[in-house]
């Protein structure tokens, strides 16, 4: 992973995904790190994007890595941060598991903001989304996320703000619809 971090910071990352290299070269503020403490101390808005692969067990998605990241953040005892999960999870994860893992983090919110992207069109999906789903942990967190998307997208996506659990259900519903 250090080689990937270095290639991002030196803008030499090679990717088969269309548009990634161009976007990286055009970025002025992007900086990668493997130091979670540095990230948590630096950012007020923290996006978590980790793999939550489908599994054959009791849960449909393996959230072990996600839960570890949240636990690691909690050990740092951040205050007044907006933490945003972008990975696919089962309904209730944000409220039951994620919030429990972060309960000692004073003033922190936990929101759900999954992406609707496909391999080969990731950059287009990020810059020109049809819909932005915000399961806001607080009105303030929702306002910040909405403003971010209004500024960062090149189109005018439909922005849907709701509770985290409603967003978890909607993400799975859209996935099922697209799969069908």
């Amino acid at each position: 992973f250090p080689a990937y971090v270095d290639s991002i910071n030196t803008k030499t990352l090679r990717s088969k995904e269309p548009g990634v290299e161009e976007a990286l070269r055009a970025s002025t503020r992007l900086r990668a790190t493997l130091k979670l403490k540095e990230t948590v101390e630096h950012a007020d808005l923290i996006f978590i994007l980790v793999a939550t692969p489908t599994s054959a067990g009791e849960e449909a998605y393996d959230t072990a890595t996600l839960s570890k990241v949240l636990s690691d953040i909690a050990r740092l005892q951040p205050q007044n941060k907006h933490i945003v999960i972008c990975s696919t999870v089962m309904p209730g994860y944000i409220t039951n598991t994620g919030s429990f893992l972060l309960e000692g983090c004073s003033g922190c919110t936990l929101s759900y903001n999954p992406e609707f992207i496909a391999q080969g069109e990731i950059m287009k999906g990020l810059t020109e989304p049809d819909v932005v789903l915000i399961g806001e942990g607080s009105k303030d967190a929702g306002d910040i996320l909405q403003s971010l998307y209004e500024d960062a997208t090149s189109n005018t996506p439909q922005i849907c703000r709701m509770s985290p659990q409603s967003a978890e259900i909607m993400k799975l519903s859209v996935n099922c619809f697209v799969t069908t």
Side-chain angles (χ1 to χ4, degrees), residues 105-171:
C105 302
S106 177
C108 290
T109 63
L110 184 61
S111 298
Y112 185 57
N113 176 225
E115 300 294 342
F116 297 97
I117 54 177
Q119 291 290 319
E121 293 191 357
I122 290 175
M123 293 306 296
K124 183 177 186 288
L126 293 173
T127 60
E128 300 176 26
D130 294 324
V131 66
V132 173
L133 189 55
I134 300 172
E136 57 192 33
S138 69
K139 183 182 180 319
D140 187 39
D143 290 346
I144 290 167
L145 287 167
Q146 181 170 343
S147 177
L148 180 116
Y149 280 100
E150 289 171 346
D151 291 343
T153 55
S154 60
N155 64 343
T156 307
Q158 181 176 356
I159 297 178
C160 302
R161 291 173 61 172
M162 59 195 69
S163 72
Q165 187 160 6
S166 293
E168 292 164 332
I169 292 168
M170 186 168 175
K171 169 63 174 170

Side-chain angles (χ1 to χ4, degrees), residues 75-97:
R75 273 193 283 284
L76 297 171
Q77 298 182 339
Q79 295 183 4
N80 304 315
K81 304 288 183 177
H82 294 296
I83 300 168
V84 183
I85 294 174
C86 302
S87 307
T88 304
V89 297
M90 289 298 291
Y93 180 87
I94 303 296
T95 301
N96 298 324
T97 305

Side-chain angles (χ1 to χ4, degrees), residues 1 17 20 34 40 44 49 56 124 144 162-163:
F1 289 123
E17 186 67 38
V20 169
L34 292 173
V40 171
D44 292 326
L49 297 93
K124 183 177 186 288
I144 290 167
M162 59 195 69
S163 72

Side-chain angles (χ1 to χ4, degrees), residues 6 15 22 34 43 45 56 73 76 82 92-93 103 106 116 170 176-177 179:
D6 185 54
S15 175
E22 295 81 1
L34 292 173
L45 183 62
I73 289 172
L76 297 171
H82 294 296
Y93 180 87
E103 70 182 354
S106 177
F116 297 97
M170 186 168 175
C176 288
F177 175 77
T179 301

Side-chain angles (χ1 to χ4, degrees), residues 2-91:
Y4 287 115
V5 169
D6 185 54
S7 69
I8 291 169
N9 290 334
T10 60
K11 301 183 183 219
T12 58
L13 177 77
R14 298 291 171 243
S15 175
K16 293 180 182 179
E17 186 67 38
V20 169
E21 293 174 21
E22 295 81 1
L24 179 61
R25 284 193 296 274
S27 70
T28 58
R29 298 179 358 160
L30 179 68
R31 189 174 67 80
T33 182
L34 292 173
K35 299 173 184 164
L36 183 61
K37 183 177 182 185
E38 181 180 331
T39 300
V40 171
E41 288 174 354
H42 174 75
D44 292 326
L45 183 62
I46 301 165
F47 289 89
I48 301 174
L49 297 93
V50 297
T52 52
T54 56
S55 63
E58 188 173 307
E59 295 295 323
Y61 295 96
D62 181 351
T63 57
T65 301
L66 176 57
S67 294
K68 179 171 181 348
V69 170
L70 290 174
S71 294
D72 290 347
I73 289 172
R75 273 193 283 284
L76 297 171
Q77 298 182 339
Q79 295 183 4
N80 304 315
K81 304 288 183 177
H82 294 296
I83 300 168
V84 183
I85 294 174
C86 302
S87 307
T88 304
V89 297
M90 289 298 291

